[in-house]
Amino acid sequence: MSHAPTGVMERPSPASPSPKSSLGSRSLPRLAPLGFAVVSVALGVGLSLAAGWESRTQWGLISALLFLAISYVATTVVENQRQAKDRLATSVMWVCFLVAVVPLASLLWTTIVRGAERLDGYFLTHSMAGVLGAEASGGVYHALIGTLEQVGIATVISAPLGLLTAVYLVEYGKGSLARAVTFFVDVMTGIPSIVAGLFILSIMLIANLEPSGLMGALALTILMIPVVVRSTEEMLKLVPNELREASLALGIPKWRTILKVVLPTAIGGITTGVMLAIARIAGETAPIILLVFGSQLINTNPFEGAQSSLPFYIYEQYKIGEAASYDRAWAAALVLIAFVMILNLVARGIARWKAPKTGR
Protein backbone atom coordinates (compact mmCIF):
# COMPACT_ATOMS: atom_id res chain seq x y z
CA MET A 1 0.00 0.00 0.00
CA SER A 2 1.54 3.27 -1.18
CA HIS A 3 1.26 6.63 0.51
CA ALA A 4 0.32 9.69 -1.56
CA PRO A 5 2.90 12.47 -1.47
CA THR A 6 1.73 15.45 0.39
CA GLY A 7 3.72 17.91 -1.72
CA VAL A 8 4.77 19.89 1.31
CA MET A 9 8.33 19.80 2.53
CA GLU A 10 9.06 20.55 6.14
CA ARG A 11 11.69 23.25 6.64
CA PRO A 12 13.97 23.11 9.60
CA SER A 13 13.16 25.80 12.14
CA PRO A 14 15.85 28.47 12.32
CA ALA A 15 17.98 28.30 15.37
CA SER A 16 17.22 31.05 17.85
CA PRO A 17 20.02 33.61 17.96
CA SER A 18 22.25 33.28 20.95
CA PRO A 19 22.24 36.32 23.21
CA LYS A 20 25.11 38.63 22.48
CA SER A 21 27.24 39.58 25.35
CA SER A 22 28.22 43.22 25.10
CA LEU A 23 29.08 46.02 27.43
CA GLY A 24 25.77 47.71 26.73
CA SER A 25 23.78 44.80 28.12
CA ARG A 26 25.45 44.97 31.53
CA SER A 27 24.34 47.32 34.26
CA LEU A 28 25.56 48.37 37.66
CA PRO A 29 23.68 47.20 40.76
CA ARG A 30 21.15 49.52 42.31
CA LEU A 31 23.34 50.18 45.35
CA ALA A 32 26.32 51.16 43.21
CA PRO A 33 25.88 54.93 43.88
CA LEU A 34 25.99 54.23 47.62
CA GLY A 35 29.21 52.28 47.18
CA PHE A 36 30.67 55.08 45.06
CA ALA A 37 29.79 57.55 47.81
CA VAL A 38 31.45 55.47 50.54
CA VAL A 39 34.61 55.00 48.47
CA SER A 40 34.67 58.70 47.56
CA VAL A 41 34.34 59.83 51.17
CA ALA A 42 37.07 57.44 52.29
CA LEU A 43 39.42 58.57 49.53
CA GLY A 44 38.57 62.26 50.07
CA VAL A 45 39.24 62.12 53.80
CA GLY A 46 42.40 60.08 53.29
CA LEU A 47 43.83 62.41 50.64
CA SER A 48 42.93 65.48 52.71
CA LEU A 49 44.64 64.10 55.82
CA ALA A 50 47.67 63.11 53.78
CA ALA A 51 47.88 66.64 52.38
CA GLY A 52 47.51 68.16 55.86
CA TRP A 53 44.12 69.78 55.21
CA GLU A 54 42.03 70.02 58.38
CA SER A 55 38.98 71.81 56.98
CA ARG A 56 35.93 69.58 56.70
CA THR A 57 34.68 71.76 53.87
CA GLN A 58 37.73 70.77 51.84
CA TRP A 59 37.11 67.12 52.71
CA GLY A 60 33.55 67.42 51.43
CA LEU A 61 34.52 69.17 48.17
CA ILE A 62 37.22 66.60 47.37
CA SER A 63 34.84 63.74 48.18
CA ALA A 64 32.17 65.27 45.91
CA LEU A 65 34.58 65.59 43.00
CA LEU A 66 35.79 62.02 43.49
CA PHE A 67 32.19 60.80 43.63
CA LEU A 68 31.41 62.43 40.29
CA ALA A 69 34.57 61.06 38.67
CA ILE A 70 34.17 57.51 40.01
CA SER A 71 30.50 57.38 39.02
CA TYR A 72 31.23 58.52 35.47
CA VAL A 73 34.24 56.25 34.88
CA ALA A 74 32.66 53.13 36.40
CA THR A 75 29.43 53.58 34.45
CA THR A 76 31.34 54.15 31.21
CA VAL A 77 33.36 50.95 31.66
CA VAL A 78 30.50 48.71 32.81
CA GLU A 79 27.55 50.12 30.83
CA ASN A 80 28.11 52.71 28.11
CA GLN A 81 28.86 56.39 27.68
CA ARG A 82 25.21 57.38 27.33
CA GLN A 83 24.33 55.83 30.69
CA ALA A 84 27.46 57.42 32.14
CA LYS A 85 26.28 60.90 31.15
CA ASP A 86 22.88 60.21 32.66
CA ARG A 87 24.44 58.99 35.91
CA LEU A 88 26.77 62.00 35.95
CA ALA A 89 23.82 64.39 35.71
CA THR A 90 22.04 62.51 38.51
CA SER A 91 25.18 62.60 40.65
CA VAL A 92 25.55 66.35 40.11
CA MET A 93 21.97 66.88 41.31
CA TRP A 94 22.63 64.79 44.43
CA VAL A 95 25.81 66.74 45.17
CA CYS A 96 23.98 70.06 44.78
CA PHE A 97 21.22 68.79 47.06
CA LEU A 98 23.74 67.86 49.75
CA VAL A 99 25.56 71.18 49.37
CA ALA A 100 22.26 72.96 50.08
CA VAL A 101 21.04 70.65 52.86
CA VAL A 102 24.20 70.11 54.90
CA PRO A 103 24.56 73.78 56.03
CA LEU A 104 20.87 73.93 56.91
CA ALA A 105 21.06 70.69 58.86
CA SER A 106 24.21 71.89 60.64
CA LEU A 107 22.54 75.18 61.58
CA LEU A 108 19.42 73.41 62.82
CA TRP A 109 21.46 70.92 64.86
CA THR A 110 23.60 73.67 66.40
CA THR A 111 20.50 75.68 67.33
CA ILE A 112 18.83 72.67 68.91
CA VAL A 113 21.92 71.69 70.91
CA ARG A 114 22.71 75.24 72.09
CA GLY A 115 19.10 76.28 72.65
CA ALA A 116 17.98 73.18 74.52
CA GLU A 117 20.46 73.94 77.31
CA ARG A 118 18.51 77.07 78.32
CA LEU A 119 14.99 76.31 77.08
CA ASP A 120 12.62 75.31 79.87
CA GLY A 121 9.33 76.31 81.44
CA TYR A 122 10.90 79.19 83.37
CA PHE A 123 12.37 80.64 80.18
CA LEU A 124 8.99 80.58 78.42
CA THR A 125 7.03 82.15 81.28
CA HIS A 126 9.30 84.98 82.46
CA SER A 127 10.43 88.27 80.96
CA MET A 128 13.65 90.24 81.21
CA ALA A 129 12.24 92.82 83.61
CA GLY A 130 14.95 93.77 86.12
CA VAL A 131 17.41 91.18 84.78
CA LEU A 132 20.95 92.26 83.93
CA GLY A 133 22.65 90.94 80.81
CA ALA A 134 25.23 88.88 82.70
CA GLU A 135 22.64 87.16 84.91
CA ALA A 136 21.51 83.66 84.03
CA SER A 137 17.84 84.33 84.81
CA GLY A 138 15.22 85.96 82.59
CA GLY A 139 13.04 84.61 79.83
CA VAL A 140 11.35 85.20 76.53
CA TYR A 141 7.71 85.56 77.55
CA HIS A 142 7.42 89.27 76.65
CA ALA A 143 9.02 88.69 73.24
CA LEU A 144 6.78 85.72 72.51
CA ILE A 145 3.68 87.80 73.27
CA GLY A 146 4.94 90.58 71.00
CA THR A 147 5.59 88.20 68.11
CA LEU A 148 2.17 86.58 68.41
CA GLU A 149 0.36 89.93 68.52
CA GLN A 150 2.33 91.58 65.73
CA VAL A 151 2.14 88.60 63.41
CA GLY A 152 -1.55 88.16 64.26
CA ILE A 153 -2.40 91.76 63.39
CA ALA A 154 -0.43 91.51 60.14
CA THR A 155 -2.28 88.31 59.24
CA VAL A 156 -5.70 89.79 59.96
CA ILE A 157 -4.94 92.69 57.62
CA SER A 158 -2.99 90.85 54.93
CA ALA A 159 -5.04 87.68 54.43
CA PRO A 160 -8.32 89.37 53.33
CA LEU A 161 -6.52 91.97 51.19
CA GLY A 162 -4.34 89.36 49.52
CA LEU A 163 -7.26 87.00 48.95
CA LEU A 164 -9.50 89.68 47.41
CA THR A 165 -6.66 90.95 45.23
CA ALA A 166 -5.95 87.45 43.93
CA VAL A 167 -9.65 86.85 43.22
CA TYR A 168 -9.78 90.08 41.25
CA LEU A 169 -6.69 89.24 39.21
CA VAL A 170 -7.84 85.70 38.36
CA GLU A 171 -11.61 86.12 37.99
CA TYR A 172 -12.14 89.74 36.95
CA GLY A 173 -8.78 91.30 36.13
CA LYS A 174 -8.48 92.54 32.56
CA GLY A 175 -6.92 95.59 31.00
CA SER A 176 -4.50 98.16 32.30
CA LEU A 177 -5.66 98.08 35.94
CA ALA A 178 -4.97 94.35 36.26
CA ARG A 179 -1.55 94.77 34.67
CA ALA A 180 -0.75 97.62 37.04
CA VAL A 181 -1.81 95.58 40.09
CA THR A 182 0.29 92.63 38.90
CA PHE A 183 3.28 94.90 38.36
CA PHE A 184 3.08 96.42 41.84
CA VAL A 185 2.63 93.00 43.44
CA ASP A 186 5.80 91.82 41.68
CA VAL A 187 7.65 94.91 42.87
CA MET A 188 6.44 94.47 46.45
CA THR A 189 7.60 90.86 46.44
CA GLY A 190 11.21 91.99 46.17
CA ILE A 191 11.06 94.89 48.62
CA PRO A 192 13.65 94.57 51.43
CA SER A 193 12.19 94.52 54.91
CA ILE A 194 14.11 97.66 55.90
CA VAL A 195 12.35 99.61 53.13
CA ALA A 196 8.95 98.60 54.50
CA GLY A 197 10.09 99.69 57.94
CA LEU A 198 11.32 103.07 56.65
CA PHE A 199 7.99 103.63 54.89
CA ILE A 200 6.01 103.13 58.09
CA LEU A 201 8.61 105.17 60.01
CA SER A 202 8.07 108.12 57.67
CA ILE A 203 4.33 107.93 58.34
CA MET A 204 5.03 107.85 62.08
CA LEU A 205 7.18 110.97 61.84
CA ILE A 206 4.60 112.83 59.73
CA ALA A 207 1.67 111.87 61.96
CA ASN A 208 3.72 112.18 65.19
CA LEU A 209 2.95 108.60 66.26
CA GLU A 210 4.72 106.68 69.01
CA PRO A 211 6.44 103.31 68.55
CA SER A 212 4.14 100.37 69.15
CA GLY A 213 3.49 96.83 68.10
CA LEU A 214 0.90 98.08 65.61
CA MET A 215 3.54 100.02 63.66
CA GLY A 216 5.67 96.90 63.38
CA ALA A 217 2.62 94.89 62.31
CA LEU A 218 1.92 97.39 59.50
CA ALA A 219 5.45 96.94 58.16
CA LEU A 220 5.01 93.17 58.32
CA THR A 221 1.73 93.57 56.46
CA ILE A 222 3.54 95.22 53.55
CA LEU A 223 5.88 92.22 53.37
CA MET A 224 3.11 89.66 53.73
CA ILE A 225 0.53 90.90 51.21
CA PRO A 226 2.46 90.07 47.99
CA VAL A 227 3.22 86.54 49.24
CA VAL A 228 -0.47 85.92 49.95
CA VAL A 229 -1.50 87.39 46.59
CA ARG A 230 0.95 85.29 44.59
CA SER A 231 0.20 82.00 46.39
CA THR A 232 -3.57 82.52 46.27
CA GLU A 233 -3.44 83.52 42.62
CA GLU A 234 -1.64 80.31 41.67
CA MET A 235 -4.09 78.20 43.68
CA LEU A 236 -7.11 79.83 42.00
CA LYS A 237 -5.60 79.20 38.58
CA LEU A 238 -5.44 75.49 39.37
CA VAL A 239 -9.22 75.27 39.80
CA PRO A 240 -10.61 73.68 36.58
CA ASN A 241 -12.67 76.02 34.42
CA GLU A 242 -15.22 73.22 33.99
CA LEU A 243 -16.33 73.77 37.58
CA ARG A 244 -16.93 77.45 36.93
CA GLU A 245 -18.75 76.75 33.67
CA ALA A 246 -20.96 74.09 35.26
CA SER A 247 -21.96 76.48 38.04
CA LEU A 248 -22.63 79.35 35.64
CA ALA A 249 -24.66 77.04 33.37
CA LEU A 250 -27.03 76.43 36.28
CA GLY A 251 -27.74 80.15 36.46
CA ILE A 252 -25.67 80.82 39.57
CA PRO A 253 -24.16 84.35 39.64
CA LYS A 254 -20.41 84.66 39.23
CA TRP A 255 -19.81 86.04 42.71
CA ARG A 256 -21.66 83.08 44.22
CA THR A 257 -19.73 80.69 41.99
CA ILE A 258 -16.48 82.13 43.32
CA LEU A 259 -17.70 81.97 46.89
CA LYS A 260 -19.24 78.50 46.81
CA VAL A 261 -17.21 76.65 44.17
CA VAL A 262 -13.84 78.25 43.43
CA LEU A 263 -12.71 79.21 46.93
CA PRO A 264 -13.73 75.93 48.63
CA THR A 265 -11.86 73.98 45.95
CA ALA A 266 -8.66 75.98 46.48
CA ILE A 267 -8.97 76.55 50.23
CA GLY A 268 -6.24 74.06 51.09
CA GLY A 269 -3.64 75.76 48.91
CA ILE A 270 -4.77 79.22 50.00
CA THR A 271 -4.38 78.30 53.66
CA THR A 272 -0.94 76.86 52.98
CA GLY A 273 0.10 80.09 51.25
CA VAL A 274 -1.09 82.19 54.18
CA MET A 275 0.79 80.00 56.66
CA LEU A 276 3.98 80.24 54.60
CA ALA A 277 3.59 84.01 54.45
CA ILE A 278 3.27 84.10 58.24
CA ALA A 279 6.43 82.02 58.55
CA ARG A 280 8.18 84.45 56.19
CA ILE A 281 7.46 87.53 58.33
CA ALA A 282 7.89 85.88 61.74
CA GLY A 283 11.66 86.24 61.58
CA GLU A 284 11.90 89.83 60.37
CA THR A 285 14.06 92.01 62.61
CA ALA A 286 14.78 95.31 60.82
CA PRO A 287 11.20 96.71 60.84
CA ILE A 288 10.81 95.80 64.52
CA ILE A 289 14.02 97.60 65.46
CA LEU A 290 12.83 100.75 63.69
CA LEU A 291 9.19 100.77 64.72
CA VAL A 292 8.75 98.83 67.98
CA PHE A 293 12.00 99.80 69.77
CA GLY A 294 11.93 96.72 71.99
CA SER A 295 11.11 96.44 75.67
CA GLN A 296 12.14 94.17 78.53
CA LEU A 297 8.71 94.50 80.14
CA ILE A 298 5.55 92.58 79.34
CA ASN A 299 3.31 94.74 77.14
CA THR A 300 0.12 93.02 76.04
CA ASN A 301 -1.24 96.14 74.33
CA PRO A 302 0.12 96.31 70.76
CA PHE A 303 -1.48 99.73 70.18
CA GLU A 304 0.48 101.62 72.81
CA GLY A 305 4.06 101.54 74.01
CA ALA A 306 7.19 99.71 72.93
CA GLN A 307 7.10 95.95 72.52
CA SER A 308 9.58 93.21 71.88
CA SER A 309 9.56 90.23 69.54
CA LEU A 310 11.53 87.03 69.15
CA PRO A 311 13.84 88.33 66.36
CA PHE A 312 14.47 91.56 68.27
CA TYR A 313 15.08 89.61 71.48
CA ILE A 314 17.71 87.46 69.74
CA TYR A 315 19.42 90.57 68.35
CA GLU A 316 19.28 92.30 71.72
CA GLN A 317 20.75 89.37 73.66
CA TYR A 318 23.51 88.79 71.14
CA LYS A 319 24.45 92.46 71.30
CA ILE A 320 24.97 92.26 75.08
CA GLY A 321 27.89 89.91 74.53
CA GLU A 322 27.73 87.91 77.78
CA ALA A 323 27.72 84.14 78.08
CA ALA A 324 24.27 84.13 79.69
CA SER A 325 22.86 86.41 76.98
CA TYR A 326 24.26 84.11 74.26
CA ASP A 327 22.45 81.19 75.89
CA ARG A 328 19.20 83.16 75.93
CA ALA A 329 19.68 84.13 72.28
CA TRP A 330 20.15 80.49 71.23
CA ALA A 331 17.09 79.44 73.23
CA ALA A 332 14.99 82.21 71.66
CA ALA A 333 16.21 81.14 68.20
CA LEU A 334 15.05 77.60 68.96
CA VAL A 335 11.64 78.93 70.01
CA LEU A 336 11.39 80.91 66.76
CA ILE A 337 12.34 77.87 64.66
CA ALA A 338 9.77 75.77 66.52
CA PHE A 339 7.14 78.47 65.89
CA VAL A 340 7.85 78.49 62.15
CA MET A 341 7.99 74.69 62.00
CA ILE A 342 4.63 74.38 63.73
CA LEU A 343 3.10 76.78 61.20
CA ASN A 344 4.47 74.73 58.32
CA LEU A 345 3.15 71.50 59.81
CA VAL A 346 -0.26 73.10 60.33
CA ALA A 347 -0.23 74.31 56.72
CA ARG A 348 0.60 70.84 55.43
CA GLY A 349 -2.11 69.29 57.58
CA ILE A 350 -4.76 71.73 56.38
CA ALA A 351 -3.69 71.26 52.76
CA ARG A 352 -4.02 67.49 53.09
CA TRP A 353 -7.31 67.76 54.95
CA LYS A 354 -8.85 70.13 52.41
CA ALA A 355 -7.40 68.46 49.33
CA PRO A 356 -10.04 67.43 46.76
CA LYS A 357 -11.07 63.81 47.21
CA THR A 358 -10.24 61.60 44.24
CA GLY A 359 -12.71 59.00 43.08
CA ARG A 360 -12.01 55.37 42.50
Side-chain angles (χ1 to χ4, degrees), residues 220-287:
L220 298 180
T221 300
I222 297 175
L223 301 174
M224 185 175 175
I225 285 178
V227 180
V228 177
V229 172
R230 274 286 166 255
S231 60
T232 304
E233 186 179 0
E234 295 301 323
M235 291 300 104
L236 294 178
K237 289 179 179 178
L238 294 177
V239 178
N241 286 327
E242 289 78 5
L243 295 178
R244 299 180 177 89
E245 294 171 355
S247 178
L248 295 174
L250 296 175
I252 300 176
K254 188 171 183 177
W255 67 269
R256 195 172 181 84
T257 298
I258 297 172
L259 188 62
K260 296 294 185 179
V261 177
V262 177
L263 291 180
T265 304
I267 189 62
I270 294 173
T271 306
T272 302
V274 173
M275 291 293 182
L276 294 179
I278 294 174
R280 183 249 186 273
I281 66 172
E284 292 294 341
T285 310

Side-chain angles (χ1 to χ4, degrees), residues 7-353:
V8 179
M9 297 181 62
E10 296 181 359
R11 297 180 179 179
S13 59
S16 58
S18 59
K20 298 180 180 180
S21 60
S22 62
L23 291 177
S25 62
R26 293 186 294 174
S27 61
L28 291 169
R30 296 182 60 182
L31 296 179
L34 180 59
F36 297 156
V38 173
V39 173
S40 301
V41 171
L43 289 176
V45 174
L47 293 175
S48 299
L49 293 177
W53 297 335
E54 298 180 356
S55 174
R56 296 183 180 180
T57 303
Q58 292 176 332
W59 299 0
L61 292 177
I62 294 176
S63 300
L65 293 176
L66 289 174
F67 174 70
L68 297 178
I70 293 174
S71 299
Y72 181 78
V73 173
T75 308
T76 302
V77 173
V78 176
E79 298 180 0
N80 52 56
Q81 192 172 9
R82 181 178 180 182
Q83 294 295 331
K85 293 180 180 179
D86 178 78
R87 191 177 293 275
L88 177 63
T90 305
S91 301
V92 169
M93 286 189 293
W94 274 106
V95 170
C96 293
F97 170 76
L98 291 177
V99 169
V101 168
V102 168
L104 295 178
S106 175
L107 176 62
L108 181 61
W109 175 253
T110 303
T111 305
I112 292 175
V113 172
R114 295 289 301 273
E117 298 177 357
R118 184 67 179 81
L119 184 60
D120 52 18
Y122 175 86
F123 183 75
L124 294 175
T125 56
H126 287 75
S127 68
M128 292 295 296
V131 179
L132 299 179
E135 296 181 4
S137 58
V140 76
Y141 180 69
H142 62 298
L144 186 59
I145 289 178
T147 293
L148 292 176
E149 291 182 348
Q150 294 158 25
V151 172
I153 293 174
T155 304
V156 170
I157 299 174
S158 303
L161 289 178
L163 177 61
L164 293 176
T165 303
V167 169
Y168 166 75
L169 292 176
V170 175
E171 304 293 339
Y172 298 97
K174 293 181 181 179
S176 58
L177 180 59
R179 289 193 296 269
V181 172
T182 303
F183 172 76
F184 282 111
V185 169
D186 292 337
V187 172
M188 290 176 64
T189 304
I191 287 180
S193 59
I194 189 66
V195 175
L198 290 174
F199 174 73
I200 300 299
L201 180 62
S202 63
I203 296 178
M204 289 175 55
L205 296 177
I206 294 174
N208 196 19
L209 300 176
E210 297 293 331
S212 64
L214 177 63
M215 298 296 105
L218 293 179
L220 298 180
T221 300
I222 297 175
L223 301 174
M224 185 175 175
I225 285 178
V227 180
V228 177
V229 172
R230 274 286 166 255
S231 60
T232 304
E233 186 179 0
E234 295 301 323
M235 291 300 104
L236 294 178
K237 289 179 179 178
L238 294 177
V239 178
N241 286 327
E242 289 78 5
L243 295 178
R244 299 180 177 89
E245 294 171 355
S247 178
L248 295 174
L250 296 175
I252 300 176
K254 188 171 183 177
W255 67 269
R256 195 172 181 84
T257 298
I258 297 172
L259 188 62
K260 296 294 185 179
V261 177
V262 177
L263 291 180
T265 304
I267 189 62
I270 294 173
T271 306
T272 302
V274 173
M275 291 293 182
L276 294 179
I278 294 174
R280 183 249 186 273
I281 66 172
E284 292 294 341
T285 310
I288 306 303
I289 295 176
L290 287 175
L291 306 172
V292 182
F293 279 21
S295 175
Q296 295 185 347
L297 304 177
I298 298 174
N299 181 11
T300 58
N301 183 8
F303 303 101
E304 182 179 0
Q307 262 191 336
S308 184
S309 69
L310 288 175
F312 183 86
Y313 181 87
I314 297 171
Y315 164 77
E316 184 181 43
Q317 295 301 315
Y318 179 80
K319 188 175 64 173
I320 293 175
E322 298 289 343
S325 65
Y326 287 153
D327 293 338
R328 287 191 292 265
W330 281 110
L334 181 58
V335 172
L336 182 59
I337 290 177
F339 176 72
V340 174
M341 188 176 295
I342 290 172
L343 288 178
N344 281 274
L345 292 177
V346 170
R348 289 179 179 272
I350 293 176
R352 180 170 302 208
W353 175 43

